[in-house]
Amino acid sequence: MATLYLVGLGPGSIEHMTQRAQDVVRSVDAVVGYGLYVRLVRPLLSDQNVIRSGMTKEWQRADEAIELVQQGQNVALVCSGDSGVYAMAPLVFEIMVEKQLSFSVEVVPGVTAATSCASLIGAPMGHDSCTISLSDLLTPWPVIEKRIEAAAAADFVITFYNPRSKKRVKQIEMAQQILLQHRKPDTPVAIVDSAYRDEQRIQLTTLAEFTLLEFAMSASVIVGNTNSYRYRDWIVTPRGYQHKYDLNDGAVREGQQPGRTLVTEQNTEAL
């Protein structure tokens, strides 16, 4: 039975693709994808049928891949990052549900933009975090705004995808204003563009100033939580070890126990 492989390419370079992703792209009969992503895997291709298309042609790519697999070809539908994160996997499954289709599908995971960008600036996602796309092409802005407010109030580290475009410049400023209601102006922020590609660019700044910098759709914006801090060229978000252990010698702090719930004034009073 032919299989449709939904392949996450990671940041873009072959060395950051999983071995499974590389093996699939090499072995399939056809590769379907946005032109840039097809070019990224060109070194892995031999005589595969290659179908490329441009921006905003996601439905066409998904439909083409589905048609080819129904014809009996093994197909790799390639995406940057992970195919299930703001990419093609959800659309493929939605079409399958809508048309009541059934065929073999394998989701091949890839390194997402959030984690690849984070790796370049230390450990900004060391505690609870979320991703929010600021593109309102498919999601109404009031919905996005509510999600920003909820994430800000809950003190999540937030990675913004699709932060700004030529036509969409105000949304990131609106997001900034929401965050400033919950976090200090000097909260560390990183803007990472084209992680692990030749045009990679990293800018470290603060919540109060990051919208003054130049960036666009290809960038990811990582905003720290209330505990995040800048150390040299890194951003660190503590997991909480300092509350239970002395980080100088690893000794357990008085009143704490390894492997047990963290004791705080609040939960002590509750008991």
Side-chain angles (χ1 to χ4, degrees):
M1 179 184 293
T3 298
L4 174 56
Y5 298 93
L6 305 173
V7 182
L9 303 180
S13 63
I14 298 297
E15 66 182 358
H16 287 105
M17 289 175 61
T18 66
Q19 188 61 56
R20 178 61 178 163
Q22 294 182 47
D23 291 343
V24 165
V25 172
R26 287 192 180 99
S27 66
V28 293
D29 304 304
V31 174
V32 181
Y34 174 53
L36 171 62
Y37 306 149
V38 172
R39 289 197 297 274
L40 292 174
V41 299
R42 178 62 64 184
L44 302 176
L45 303 181
S46 53
D47 58 353
Q48 292 95 329
N49 180 21
V50 177
I51 298 94
R52 292 179 288 265
S53 59
M55 292 287 287
T56 74
K57 300 295 184 181
E58 293 88 355
W59 186 91
Q60 289 83 349
R61 286 197 288 277
D63 186 64
E64 183 76 33
I66 289 171
E67 183 175 339
L68 289 171
V69 78
Q70 289 181 310
Q71 293 172 3
Q73 297 188 48
N74 290 312
V75 182
L77 179 55
V78 296
C79 317
S80 66
D82 184 280
S83 67
V85 181
Y86 305 119
M88 294 297 296
L91 177 57
V92 168
F93 284 113
E94 288 180 68
I95 292 173
M96 290 178 68
V97 171
E98 183 70 22
K99 297 185 176 183
Q100 290 296 290
L101 303 176
S102 180
F103 50 81
S104 176
V105 180
E106 180 183 334
V107 180
V108 181
V111 180
T112 68
T115 53
S116 62
C117 292
S119 72
L120 293 167
I121 56 169
M125 296 169 60
H127 213 312
D128 298 330
S129 64
C130 69
T131 60
I132 299 176
S133 172
L134 294 187
S135 172
D136 58 2
L137 294 178
L138 299 173
T139 305
W141 175 252
V143 173
I144 298 172
E145 200 167 25
K146 287 181 181 179
R147 291 172 179 171
I148 298 169
E149 175 65 42
D155 203 26
F156 282 105
V157 173
I158 305 173
T159 301
F160 289 112
Y161 284 54
N162 307 308
R164 181 191 279 163
S165 67
K166 291 180 180 178
K167 297 180 180 180
R168 183 171 42 78
V169 296
K170 293 296 183 182
Q171 283 86 340
I172 189 66
E173 295 174 1
M174 295 167 70
Q176 178 192 41
Q177 292 308 308
I178 294 171
L179 287 165
L180 282 169
Q181 296 174 27
H182 300 273
R183 301 179 194 182
K184 294 179 179 179
D186 63 354
T187 298
V189 171
I191 302 170
V192 183
D193 204 338
S194 303
Y196 292 101
R197 298 180 188 174
D198 292 340
E199 60 272 28
Q200 173 181 295
R201 185 186 184 198
I202 300 170
Q203 301 177 85
L204 298 180
T205 181
T206 64
L207 181 58
E209 299 181 349
F210 81 96
T211 54
L212 301 175
L213 302 179
E214 182 180 342
F215 57 91
M217 283 279 288
S218 58
S220 294
V221 177
I222 302 178
V223 181
N225 69 12
T226 56
N227 293 310
S228 302
Y229 57 87
R230 172 92 174 263
Y231 178 65
R232 297 181 179 176
D233 290 332
W234 300 316
I235 295 175
V236 180
T237 300
R239 178 69 177 87
Y241 289 100
Q242 75 277 16
H243 299 310
K244 184 167 285 191
Y245 304 97
D246 185 326
L247 298 185
N248 286 303
D249 58 13
V252 179
R253 294 191 182 278
E254 184 178 355
Q256 304 293 341
Q257 296 183 55
R260 300 294 183 182
T261 300
L262 181 70
V263 177
T264 65
E265 291 183 7
Q266 288 82 0
N267 63 27
T268 300
E269 292 173 0
L271 294 173

